[in-house]
Amino acid sequence: MMTWNKFLSVEDVQISKDLSSGVCSSSMMETVLFVGPVVHTKKEGMIEILDEAAVLIKDGKIMSVGEASSSLDVKADKIIHLQDGQLLIPGFIDCHIHAVQLPNLGIGYDRCLMEWLEKYTFPLERKYSDVEFANRVYDTVVEQTLNAGTTTACYFASLYGKSSVILAEKASKYGQRAFIGKVNMNAPRDDGYCETTEESLQATTEFINDISNIDNPLIKPVVTPRFALSCDMDLMKGLAKLAEDKNLLIQTHVSENLAEIEICKKMYPECSTYVSVYEEAGLLTKKTVLAHGVHLEDSELEILKNRKTSIIHCPTSNTCLRSGLCDVKRLKSKGINVGLGTDVAGGHSVSILDVMRSALQVSTHLAFFKKGYEPLNYIDVFYLATLGGAKALAIEDQVGSFEPGKQFDALIIDTNKPNGPLNNLSEWTIEEQLQRFIYSGDDRNISQVFVAGHQVK
Ligand code: GUN
Ligand code: FE
């Protein structure tokens, strides 16, 4: 045991690689004390800044968080002293990402949603019947998202259950916290990228079992009807029941694009709104995440609030696919919880940092047209990327902030990285360092990434 007058710097720490899993671990799961600046949000609209904190980790869990000066007698096996310009923040949470779509990143933004799906997306997703292709792509997806600081991801995989399990295995191998969804679609299609209701429910049940056989508490299945346009009411009801029986998260899309909403209303004339289709199916729970929600009506927001269902804001995608400007301030004012999603490859980047910036810009653009409208600020998007996302995925008791009893999912941000985008020409407070990172940093400034205490970058 060391007391923390024998500091190790971040660069000195020897990380051993557990070859069987590929996950880096700091030898056995010992006690580790991080000493240095900490920034996190425990509550919406507020950041807590500890200029010189001591965060004690044991078995991947946070034991205590305090001012370093009052923690002088804390004992630990290893002490990691952050260097000048470094700060510790919670890991980023990507609440909506299509792992399968990574190969299409950056192309196809000449089309809006419905055409984009047909021309670019479904042809790509069909390739995942080939497990070798899945293997290659999913390695890259998990490596790239971890590199960008995504400690928790909520993934859409493909229609193919066995191939989708590979994504779960990759997240497990690299040590990411992940929710994985086998996509469900039973609306008939000429290209065969669809299933019958029975096949879809059967394959989803098998998929859930396969994920539980991976036996990693970080990896969970998520029930995934693609959207109301690709599922009928029977399938959605069956999936809702499955989620209820097994107490699982549900993810789907809602009200992303005006043409999509028109089709939804035609397909379900008995339901007055898009949200009421999901309500009728029983899909709206406090463990449901709905991506986009760009064009929701007030009556829909009322339902979502009552159901405690979250909206996942995907501003990069909403701009790339020309879906619209989602008003997060309006959602929040109606009592809706919001998380962030890259929506790769509707969104052009795997980085939640890019999404945070996009959320700021979209909100500012909205303010140009609304008198007295106060746009989101960097503290708001920092919350959305961390604790807001954790709440959406119903894991706020485990991650999203640094509090005793939570898992240590964290990023060491280094604003002094040589060759990084942040210069070092002036002196800044810790809060200003965070602000600079959010507006102008990139993954070069994310020097280390931890999930449940394991170093994964
Ligand atoms: N709606 C249904 N499927 C999709 C998809 O793959 N991406 C996006 N952005 N919206 C969808
Ligand atoms: Fe999506």
Side-chain angles (χ1 to χ4, degrees), residues 204-316:
T204 302
T205 305
E206 276 172 28
F207 173 77
I208 292 166
N209 290 337
D210 289 344
I211 299 291
S212 99
N213 287 337
I214 292 175
D215 200 21
N216 177 342
L218 301 180
I219 310 296
K220 299 259 163 38
V222 42
V223 172
T224 306
R226 184 176 203 117
F227 66 157
L229 278 60
S230 55
C231 301
D232 68 12
M233 189 52 83
D234 276 353
L235 176 58
M236 287 192 285
K237 284 187 172 170
L239 291 169
K241 172 139 194 341
L242 202 55
E244 188 185 4
D245 290 348
K246 298 186 184 282
N247 189 25
L248 296 177
L249 227 68
I250 296 169
Q251 62 177 350
T252 186
H253 298 86
V254 77
S255 199
E256 175 176 357
N257 163 291
L258 293 173
E260 171 207 17
I261 296 166
E262 282 306 302
I263 299 169
C264 182
K265 287 185 172 169
K266 285 194 181 122
M267 279 177 70
Y268 299 93
E270 66 287 3
C271 298
S272 60
T273 61
Y274 202 147
V275 162
S276 60
V277 174
Y278 291 148
E279 189 183 38
E280 167 74 15
L283 283 168
L284 302 180
T285 75
K286 61 178 188 302
K287 292 177 75 171
T288 300
V289 285
L290 301 178
H292 303 284
V294 179
H295 305 285
L296 292 168
E297 298 170 19
D298 282 348
S299 66
E300 297 181 285
L301 297 184
E302 190 61 25
I303 296 172
L304 297 179
K305 179 185 163 196
N306 292 336
R307 299 278 176 199
K308 298 190 167 60
T309 293
S310 296
I311 293 290
I312 306 309
H313 181 41
C314 304
T316 50

Side-chain angles (χ1 to χ4, degrees), residues 98 101 113 116-117 121 226-227 253 256 292 317 321 343:
H98 297 260
Q101 294 173 17
L113 176 67
W116 171 83
L117 283 171
T121 307
R226 184 176 203 117
F227 66 157
H253 298 86
E256 175 176 357
H292 303 284
S317 168
L321 297 180
D343 194 31

Side-chain angles (χ1 to χ4, degrees), residues 171-447:
S172 182
K173 169 180 156 192
Y174 290 102
Q176 192 171 47
R177 191 182 300 280
F179 295 89
I180 318 276
K182 173 234 171 300
V183 171
N184 294 282
M185 309 164 63
N186 73 342
R189 298 179 50 80
D190 290 342
D191 64 2
Y193 194 54
C194 56
E195 296 171 308
T196 65
T197 310
E198 294 68 33
E199 284 166 349
S200 195
L201 292 172
Q202 173 69 26
T204 302
T205 305
E206 276 172 28
F207 173 77
I208 292 166
N209 290 337
D210 289 344
I211 299 291
S212 99
N213 287 337
I214 292 175
D215 200 21
N216 177 342
L218 301 180
I219 310 296
K220 299 259 163 38
V222 42
V223 172
T224 306
R226 184 176 203 117
F227 66 157
L229 278 60
S230 55
C231 301
D232 68 12
M233 189 52 83
D234 276 353
L235 176 58
M236 287 192 285
K237 284 187 172 170
L239 291 169
K241 172 139 194 341
L242 202 55
E244 188 185 4
D245 290 348
K246 298 186 184 282
N247 189 25
L248 296 177
L249 227 68
I250 296 169
Q251 62 177 350
T252 186
H253 298 86
V254 77
S255 199
E256 175 176 357
N257 163 291
L258 293 173
E260 171 207 17
I261 296 166
E262 282 306 302
I263 299 169
C264 182
K265 287 185 172 169
K266 285 194 181 122
M267 279 177 70
Y268 299 93
E270 66 287 3
C271 298
S272 60
T273 61
Y274 202 147
V275 162
S276 60
V277 174
Y278 291 148
E279 189 183 38
E280 167 74 15
L283 283 168
L284 302 180
T285 75
K286 61 178 188 302
K287 292 177 75 171
T288 300
V289 285
L290 301 178
H292 303 284
V294 179
H295 305 285
L296 292 168
E297 298 170 19
D298 282 348
S299 66
E300 297 181 285
L301 297 184
E302 190 61 25
I303 296 172
L304 297 179
K305 179 185 163 196
N306 292 336
R307 299 278 176 199
K308 298 190 167 60
T309 293
S310 296
I311 293 290
I312 306 309
H313 181 41
C314 304
T316 50
S317 168
N318 294 340
T319 298
C320 285
L321 297 180
R322 309 166 192 179
S323 300
L325 301 171
C326 177
D327 187 346
V328 172
K329 281 268 168 153
R330 171 172 169 253
L331 300 179
K332 302 293 307 183
S333 75
K334 302 281 183 184
I336 313 281
N337 183 61
V338 179
L340 294 180
T342 55
D343 194 31
V344 165
H348 62 77
S349 161
V350 298
S351 164
I352 282 291
L353 196 55
D354 281 341
V355 174
M356 290 160 82
R357 280 197 278 265
S358 215
L360 287 165
Q361 288 174 354
V362 164
S363 194
T364 300
H365 296 162
L366 279 166
F368 294 153
F369 304 102
K370 295 179 190 236
K371 207 159 179 271
Y373 185 91
E374 190 58 43
L376 295 172
N377 62 34
Y378 71 93
I379 296 173
D380 297 323
V381 299
F382 184 54
Y383 173 84
L384 295 177
T386 56
L387 194 56
K391 277 196 177 147
L393 301 177
I395 50 173
E396 73 271 25
D397 58 334
Q398 295 171 53
V399 296
S401 59
F402 298 126
E403 293 175 79
K406 286 195 176 186
Q407 304 270 307
F408 186 67
D409 286 16
L411 313 180
I412 293 180
I413 304 307
D414 191 345
T415 58
N416 277 344
K417 214 57 191 205
N419 307 321
L422 298 177
N423 65 60
N424 197 14
L425 303 171
S426 263
E427 297 259 322
W428 306 103
T429 64
I430 301 302
E431 180 167 357
E432 287 165 340
Q433 298 284 37
L434 177 75
Q435 189 178 350
R436 277 179 357 122
F437 169 63
I438 290 175
Y439 276 105
S440 303
D442 69 18
D443 53 23
R444 285 168 287 182
N445 302 110
I446 302 175
S447 62

Side-chain angles (χ1 to χ4, degrees), residues 12 98 107 112 115 124 134 161 170 217 313 327 431:
D12 293 336
H98 297 260
I107 61 155
C112 295
E115 277 183 49
L124 170 61
K170 299 297 182 190
H313 181 41
D327 187 346
E431 180 167 357

